[in-house]
Amino acid sequence: MVLLSVIIPVYNAGNFLSDCFNSLLEQSIKSRKIEIIIINDGSLDNSEQIIEQFRVDLSKDYLVKIYSQNNQGIAKTRNKGLDLASGEYIAFLDSDDMLSTEYFEKILNIIEKNNSIDLIEINAYKFQNINDKKLFQCHFHGSGEILLTNNAKKSSLEALKWFAWSKIIKKAYYIDNYFPEVKSYEDQLLFPLIFIKCKKIWAIQEPLYYYRQNQSSLTHNIKLSHLEDFYGVFKQQLSDSDASNELLILNSFYNLFVYRYLLFEFYPPHQAYASFKEAKRCFFRYIKKNKMLFLIKKYKIRKKVILLFFFPYISVIYKYLFFILKNLTR
């Protein structure tokens, strides 16, 4: 029986792929209960050759599935991995990242002893140079088994740390929840919806993942079409949401806050403001303003977030003031 499926989407990752695969071969335990799914998403570099080089060695220790396709993008590639997965739990590994040597040992131990766990959260090291790694805190729930309350879920919604690799989730939760087909931030749009449904999680404080700060990744190369995709999915999720579910509304609020951040980070203020104004109008059309005020009061949303939501130009003013003061002090 396969307990854990690890999905590895690969696109032009030749510079880092050997490190990624070696981290699988260097695990403290290896098991046929673990399935490795490698999907080559139309790579144009030497990724396919590296996959073939490691195929035999990986197959000695794990069940291995390798699939090649024309370039579809990260969301469709992850969804293909979900279709191919036969494990009880699903994990994701980015092709430019690595696992700690104890990753499989820790995760399998939890799965085998606690089948009622819906989701496992892990922390990571982030790095550009492996010799200069830093702790990357991805959750704030303590450690061990945790029954999720609404307040605990609220804390996670506010933290906005929904990296696919940081959550190991029961496959059953993906049956009606696939990644929305956007160019980036697909995990931000999917994982909160799954997390809200979870009842019991297991939190691991020690870092079990090495997250590479890769400047060529999609996260660091946002395009206008990416934001349009994000906003389109946001509107669809909002229309599909139960208006009486406070956590879903709260999640929509934070997704709108992410959209606001991306707009003002990558586009001129006048263009960003116009787009955000329309998005905010859409949000308030769905819920009454008194519902928003109720959520602010009940969940104690941070004042800074509220100010940036209602008065988005504040962040632009801060930037210009900082720039002026910096030049004056030279």
Side-chain angles (χ1 to χ4, degrees):
M1 178 182 179
V2 178
L3 294 181
L4 179 66
S5 293
V6 181
I7 298 171
I8 310 175
V10 177
Y11 179 70
N12 291 351
N15 291 336
F16 311 113
L17 201 50
S18 293
D19 291 341
C20 176
F21 290 158
N22 278 321
S23 76
L24 299 174
L25 296 174
E26 293 166 2
Q27 290 293 303
S28 57
I29 67 164
K30 294 155 186 175
S31 172
R32 307 296 282 183
K33 296 178 182 178
I34 300 169
E35 174 182 68
I36 307 297
I37 301 172
I38 303 167
I39 304 175
N40 180 15
D41 185 33
S43 296
L44 302 175
D45 63 355
N46 62 336
S47 294
E48 184 174 4
Q49 287 77 19
I50 295 172
I51 291 170
E52 288 304 314
Q53 288 172 14
F54 278 86
R55 178 197 288 266
V56 173
D57 286 341
L58 288 172
S59 298
K60 291 176 183 176
D61 299 320
Y62 311 106
L63 298 174
V64 175
K65 294 178 181 176
I66 296 174
Y67 184 86
S68 293
Q69 62 185 26
N70 294 328
N71 183 248
Q72 302 287 311
I74 184 63
K76 285 187 177 181
T77 303
R78 284 176 172 164
N79 288 338
K80 184 62 183 180
L82 291 172
D83 288 337
L84 295 172
S86 55
E88 189 175 349
Y89 287 79
I90 304 291
F92 290 93
L93 170 59
D94 289 347
S95 55
D96 54 351
D97 296 340
M98 299 176 290
L99 302 179
S100 78
T101 56
E102 294 184 325
Y103 181 97
F104 286 153
E105 182 179 353
K106 299 279 187 183
I107 300 303
L108 278 189
N109 185 53
I110 294 168
I111 292 172
E112 290 177 328
K113 293 181 179 178
N114 303 274
N115 188 254
S116 62
I117 296 295
D118 299 315
L119 178 151
I120 302 169
E121 289 191 316
I122 63 171
N123 285 322
Y125 287 117
K126 63 179 179 180
F127 72 98
Q128 285 183 317
N129 183 326
I130 194 63
N131 296 318
D132 189 27
K133 61 184 186 293
K134 296 179 181 178
L135 177 65
F136 188 53
Q137 190 85 13
C138 297
H139 67 82
F140 309 92
H141 293 119
S143 60
E145 183 179 312
I146 298 164
L147 292 173
L148 286 177
T149 62
N150 273 7
N151 281 335
K153 291 178 181 180
K154 177 261 175 185
S155 296
S156 286
L157 292 176
E158 187 174 12
L160 297 173
K161 292 190 176 180
W162 300 108
F163 302 95
W165 49 259
S166 70
K167 321 287 180 197
I168 297 93
I169 303 174
K170 271 190 173 178
K171 188 184 179 185
Y173 280 97
Y174 286 105
I175 292 174
D176 298 317
N177 294 284
Y178 270 39
F179 288 94
E181 294 179 359
V182 295
K183 298 295 190 301
S184 57
Y185 287 87
E186 70 289 339
D187 36 13
Q188 170 67 37
L189 290 165
L190 172 65
F191 286 116
L193 302 181
I194 292 177
F195 192 83
I196 287 170
K197 295 178 182 179
C198 291
K199 297 176 181 177
K200 189 186 294 184
I201 69 170
W202 192 284
I204 301 176
Q205 281 296 330
E206 65 185 281
L208 294 180
Y209 193 94
Y210 288 84
Y211 171 48
R212 192 186 302 269
Q213 300 283 276
N214 183 2
Q215 295 302 313
S216 64
S217 69
L218 277 172
T219 306
H220 292 93
N221 293 276
I222 299 295
K223 298 179 181 177
L224 181 58
S225 61
H226 298 181
L227 292 183
E228 291 171 349
D229 287 348
F230 185 97
Y231 181 51
V233 175
F234 162 80
K235 286 200 297 183
Q236 185 61 51
Q237 287 184 349
L238 194 60
S239 65
D240 292 342
S241 296
D242 178 359
S244 64
N245 189 317
E246 297 164 5
L247 287 173
L248 286 177
I249 295 173
L250 197 62
N251 177 56
S252 293
F253 169 75
Y254 283 119
N255 275 342
L256 193 52
F257 186 71
V258 170
Y259 181 61
R260 184 217 67 84
Y261 165 78
L262 293 173
L263 285 170
F264 280 89
E265 184 71 15
F266 293 101
Y267 295 100
H270 65 280
Q271 182 182 352
Y273 182 76
S275 297
F276 181 68
K277 188 176 180 180
E278 170 57 31
K280 194 165 63 170
R281 190 182 295 120
C282 173
F283 179 74
F284 278 130
R285 274 200 301 266
Y286 178 69
I287 65 164
K288 295 179 180 178
K289 287 192 178 184
N290 62 342
K291 185 72 173 178
M292 187 69 235
L293 295 173
F294 169 75
L295 290 176
I296 289 171
K297 182 178 179 181
K298 180 174 180 180
Y299 292 103
K300 298 177 182 177
I301 299 171
R302 289 178 300 171
K303 291 180 181 178
K304 180 182 176 183
V305 174
I306 297 169
L307 284 172
L308 291 177
F309 178 75
F310 286 104
F311 307 103
Y313 260 125
I314 288 176
S315 58
V316 180
I317 294 169
Y318 283 160
K319 282 184 181 179
Y320 284 132
L321 283 176
F322 178 78
F323 177 77
I324 292 168
L325 289 171
K326 186 177 179 181
N327 285 320
L328 286 175
T329 55
R330 283 180 178 176

